[in-house]
Amino acid sequence: MFKLPDLPYAYNALEPYLDAATMEIHHGKHHATYVVKLNEALANQPELFNKTIEELILNLNSVPEKIRSAVRNHGGGHYNHSLFWLSLSPVKSEPAGELMDLLNRDFSSLENFKGQFTKAALGVFGSGWTWLVKDQANKLMVITTANQDSPLSQDLKPLLCLDVWEHAYYLKFQNRRTDYVTAWWSVVNWLEVAKRLS
Ligand SMILES: [Fe+2]
């Protein structure tokens, strides 16, 4: 069975940028429900419980068709949110070393990267995610995905993700997605991004 991972910090740890009430509902209700529904979908295919969530998402075509949508949506929701929580930290950090070198190489500067990422996040229509990913040729790119689709399914390695579903910000920011994205930059865990890169 898949399990809801604990957060590596308290629900109120990211205040005042991301509020405790949103974090609690987002993790304890939304993410928890993806895990429950993923387990329900796999209940009649127990051999799939032997796979990791990454393996399931990477090989959606090998999942039986009758549960493929459920695994794509709820498994994707579980995987994406698990990455999202680790991409946040109350401890301030900055990109450095190889990560900074690659951001400079592929986006000209950190500021250009942030601008491109923010523009992509604001442009997501409806529910979805914005990602910094590394492709097979080791190039960094900003992409967006709809719903709970994951870059893993496109053979891209996710380094950083931003949830732009309304459930991620509506309680505190209502329709002001720009303010949410601005606040989110203040709690990005760059050490985790660097760790994923390496
Ligand atoms: Fe979410």
Side-chain angles (χ1 to χ4, degrees):
M1 300 279 279
F2 288 94
K3 288 199 179 77
L4 179 68
D6 290 333
L7 292 188
Y9 38 73
Y11 283 132
N12 65 358
L14 306 177
E15 295 267 13
Y17 304 106
L18 302 185
D19 63 295
T22 298
M23 290 296 292
E24 184 166 4
I25 296 167
H26 198 176
H27 174 260
K29 303 291 183 195
H30 290 282
H31 187 173
T33 301
Y34 291 123
V35 174
V36 168
K37 290 190 181 282
L38 173 63
N39 285 329
E40 282 174 6
L42 298 179
N44 291 323
Q45 307 284 337
E47 72 281 3
L48 293 179
F49 283 119
N50 295 325
K51 294 186 181 294
T52 64
I53 189 61
E54 287 87 352
E55 288 169 337
L56 285 174
I57 302 294
L58 265 168
N59 302 295
L60 278 176
N61 286 336
S62 67
V63 172
E65 196 176 351
K66 64 181 177 189
I67 62 166
R68 196 175 298 153
S69 290
V71 172
R72 178 178 176 174
N73 293 330
H74 303 300
H78 174 40
Y79 176 77
N80 294 348
H81 284 89
S82 297
L83 241 62
F84 183 60
W85 308 130
L86 295 176
S87 303
L88 304 171
S89 173
V91 180
K92 190 118 184 98
S93 59
E94 292 293 339
E98 188 195 4
L99 173 61
M100 192 61 177
D101 291 345
L102 293 187
L103 288 171
N104 281 327
R105 184 194 69 185
D106 295 335
F107 299 97
S108 302
S109 69
L110 178 61
E111 286 315 302
N112 274 350
F113 158 66
K114 285 186 170 181
Q116 194 173 320
F117 191 100
T118 297
K119 190 175 171 196
L122 299 181
V124 171
F125 184 76
S127 299
W129 292 75
T130 307
W131 304 83
L132 172 67
V133 298
K134 185 171 80 168
D135 72 7
Q136 298 292 327
N138 215 29
K139 183 176 162 51
L140 302 191
M141 294 187 298
V142 170
I143 67 160
T144 63
T145 58
N147 303 313
Q148 295 296 355
D149 287 351
S150 168
L152 281 186
S153 304
Q154 303 174 41
D155 275 336
L156 298 168
K157 186 172 174 51
L159 302 177
L160 174 66
C161 59
L162 171 58
D163 188 344
V164 288
W165 282 57
E166 284 189 345
H167 70 222
Y169 62 89
Y170 207 84
L171 204 57
K172 179 177 169 77
F173 296 101
Q174 293 83 48
N175 61 320
R176 302 186 308 278
R177 191 189 284 183
T178 308
D179 293 351
Y180 162 61
V181 176
T182 301
W184 171 82
W185 281 118
S186 296
V187 288
V188 168
N189 184 351
W190 289 104
L191 302 181
E192 178 67 22
V193 180
K195 195 170 109 188
R196 261 182 231 147
L197 178 69
S198 61

